[in-house]
Amino acid sequence: MDDGGKTPEPATATPQQPPTSGPDPIPDGGLTAWLQVVGSAAILVNTWGVINTFGVFQAYYETDLLRDHSSSDISWIGSTQASLLFLVGVVAGPLYDMGYFRHLLFVGLFLIVFGQFMTSLCTEYWQVMLAQGISQGVGMGLTFLPSAAILGQYFSRHRALALGLSSVGSPVAGTVFPILFSRVLPRAGFGWATRAIAFILLGVSAVPIAFMRTRVPPTSKRVLVDRTVVRDVPYLLFVAGGLFAFLVLYVPFFYITLFATSHHVTSDSFAPYLVTLLNVGSIFGRIVPNALADRWGSMNIIIACAFCSAILIFGWLGIHDLGGAVVYALLFGAFSGGVVSLTPSVLVGLSPDMGRMGARMGLAFVISGIAILVGTPIAGAILGTEESPQWLGTMLYAAFGLLVATVFYSASRILLYARSGNLKA
């Protein structure tokens, strides 16, 4: 038929819908991702690296600056510092989820460096507690949790390895700082020995400030308290395990120097280097277990590390010479380092989504922080006076704490398997 010269209408095509925008896939590598690992390692220098150095401060305070105070009194300074690293996580976690990562970074790093400089000027117990215990502890709490949580935005398949590599900053600093402090102290005094560490912390702080950025915008659902944890039994059991683990995990770091000198295992000049050796061992404990965790599961490896740490505590009293002390420090540093470095990886795996990860990690860190706060002072109270120390009671306290932690970790592992049928976690 004639259409009157009109061009026939084309068939109506289905309009193309723009592609649905979703979150970018996790890169699991690349320059930007690995720069986050470098920045996180720098934060671990300023946080756990400083905490792992407290053993040499403890020994100096007991023999000089704070010699009128008991071992338990002095250990409250270090335990306050370490506990605040965890306790402040209940605030830092939700703030991280809300997108305040950079704010937490700036304020936290300032407080750490400021506290270290102020410690160099202290002459009284309350001053040391305020500067080294509280100021640095709060700064550590504001930066540590975000430094671990941000790696979950950049790594999935290699998350445990990334967290392990970032945590190497802690034992490296814990190796260098005691040597630096012990070398500078007799030549320039306590003030400059402490300030030398402070200047290093200041320089290291530039790395995360320069490179660390969040990859994804904050979730629109802002969670201050994740109420779903009360129904997540594997999570609760793991947190309970963390309570007992961190209650006792740092007893050797605080007291091995005093043990070595009181038992004449080493000379007074070499004893502080046992803290350095603990941190040397911890370097391997931050890398090897985390590399294995990507293949065998973070929960499985942390159970093995906690159990081996408990067995080593039982062997502490068997140290009678320098060789035994060196081997013991390296081994305990390795296995205890695995417990510390794998904890964030397990918590990330136990979080149902990234929007609640900070809140969940913050709650777990609060429990662990309370444990660290009271754990080493309890050990100091059990130990008693320097004239008649009760080393056996102190060691049994630490060993059984780690055994109980292993039981809770194992129970969490069993329930996770029953729920998912997956042997990895």
Side-chain angles (χ1 to χ4, degrees):
M1 296 178 60
D2 187 6
D3 58 4
K6 293 181 180 179
T7 304
E9 292 289 337
T12 304
T14 304
Q16 291 186 348
Q17 299 293 331
T20 303
S21 61
D24 296 333
I26 296 176
D28 238 342
L31 178 61
T32 303
W34 288 111
L35 283 176
Q36 309 310 304
V37 175
V38 174
S40 183
I43 291 176
L44 266 291
V45 169
N46 286 25
T47 53
W48 282 110
V50 175
I51 290 172
N52 288 352
T53 307
F54 188 76
V56 293
F57 283 93
Q58 171 97 18
Y60 173 76
Y61 293 154
E62 288 191 28
T63 57
D64 195 301
L65 186 66
L66 304 176
R67 57 183 174 272
D68 294 333
H69 295 265
S70 68
S71 297
S72 183
D73 289 340
I74 294 170
S75 68
W76 275 104
I77 299 169
S79 66
T80 298
Q81 183 187 71
S83 67
L84 284 172
L85 179 147
F86 283 116
L87 290 172
V88 177
V90 76
V91 176
L95 288 176
Y96 166 83
D97 288 337
M98 294 178 185
Y100 293 102
F101 173 75
R102 298 284 294 175
H103 303 77
L104 293 168
L105 208 61
F106 278 98
V107 176
L109 291 172
F110 169 79
L111 288 175
I112 293 170
V113 175
F114 176 76
Q116 186 71 18
F117 275 115
M118 291 299 101
T119 301
S120 70
L121 305 176
C122 295
T123 57
E124 301 290 338
Y125 179 86
W126 68 268
Q127 295 171 343
V128 179
M129 174 61 81
L130 186 63
Q132 192 171 21
I134 297 176
S135 175
Q136 286 197 302
V138 171
M140 292 171 183
L142 293 175
T143 54
F144 172 63
L145 185 151
S147 75
I150 193 175
L151 297 184
Q153 295 188 9
Y154 288 88
F155 294 91
S156 177
R157 189 161 52 92
H158 301 302
R159 181 185 298 145
L161 178 60
L163 285 164
L165 291 174
S166 71
S167 68
V168 168
S170 164
V172 168
T175 301
V176 173
F177 289 165
I179 296 174
L180 176 64
F181 184 85
S182 300
R183 291 292 181 89
V184 177
L185 181 64
R187 300 178 183 179
F190 171 75
W192 276 108
T194 306
R195 281 191 286 274
I197 296 175
F199 279 114
I200 294 176
L201 298 179
L202 179 62
V204 168
S205 297
V207 177
I209 290 174
F211 296 124
M212 297 190 79
R213 300 288 190 281
T214 52
R215 187 182 66 88
V216 297
T219 176
S220 58
K221 184 180 179 181
R222 299 180 175 185
V223 178
L224 292 175
V225 178
D226 184 6
R227 295 180 176 86
T228 63
V229 298
V230 298
R231 299 188 300 273
D232 193 341
V233 180
Y235 170 84
L236 294 175
L237 287 171
F238 182 80
V239 172
L243 168 66
F244 285 95
F246 286 99
L247 190 70
V248 299
L249 199 63
Y250 281 88
V251 171
F253 282 84
F254 277 46
Y255 293 107
I256 195 170
T257 298
L258 185 61
F259 173 86
T261 55
S262 65
H263 284 70
H264 307 290
V265 172
T266 69
S267 64
D268 290 352
S269 60
F270 185 82
Y273 289 100
L274 291 176
V275 178
T276 298
L277 291 172
L278 281 166
N279 286 286
V280 170
S282 190
I283 294 175
F284 297 97
R286 306 304 175 103
I287 299 175
V288 177
N290 283 272
L292 294 174
D294 282 327
R295 173 180 286 270
W296 301 107
S298 297
M299 182 77 83
N300 298 329
I301 302 300
I302 200 173
I303 291 170
C305 288
F307 180 72
C308 291
S309 297
I311 298 303
L312 284 167
I313 292 286
F314 280 114
W316 187 356
L317 199 60
I319 299 174
H320 299 295
D321 54 31
L322 177 59
V326 169
V327 172
Y328 179 85
L330 291 172
L331 287 176
F332 186 81
F335 286 106
S336 64
V339 175
V340 175
S341 63
L342 285 167
T343 295
S345 178
V346 175
L347 289 172
V348 171
L350 290 172
S351 299
D353 59 68
M354 291 296 167
R356 286 181 281 180
M357 182 175 62
R360 284 201 164 206
M361 290 182 73
L363 177 60
F365 282 5
V366 165
I367 303 299
S368 298
I370 294 172
I372 289 180
L373 176 64
V374 301
T376 48
I378 290 174
I382 296 172
L383 184 62
T385 62
E386 189 175 352
E387 290 74 22
S388 57
Q390 304 298 316
W391 286 106
L392 179 60
T394 303
M395 294 170 188
L396 290 176
Y397 158 73
F400 280 106
L402 282 165
L403 283 179
V404 174
T406 304
V407 171
F408 276 110
Y409 287 159
S410 300
S412 177
R413 167 68 278 180
I414 292 169
L415 289 182
L416 278 175
Y417 176 73
R419 186 168 69 183
S420 65
N422 187 1
L423 287 172
K424 290 178 61 177

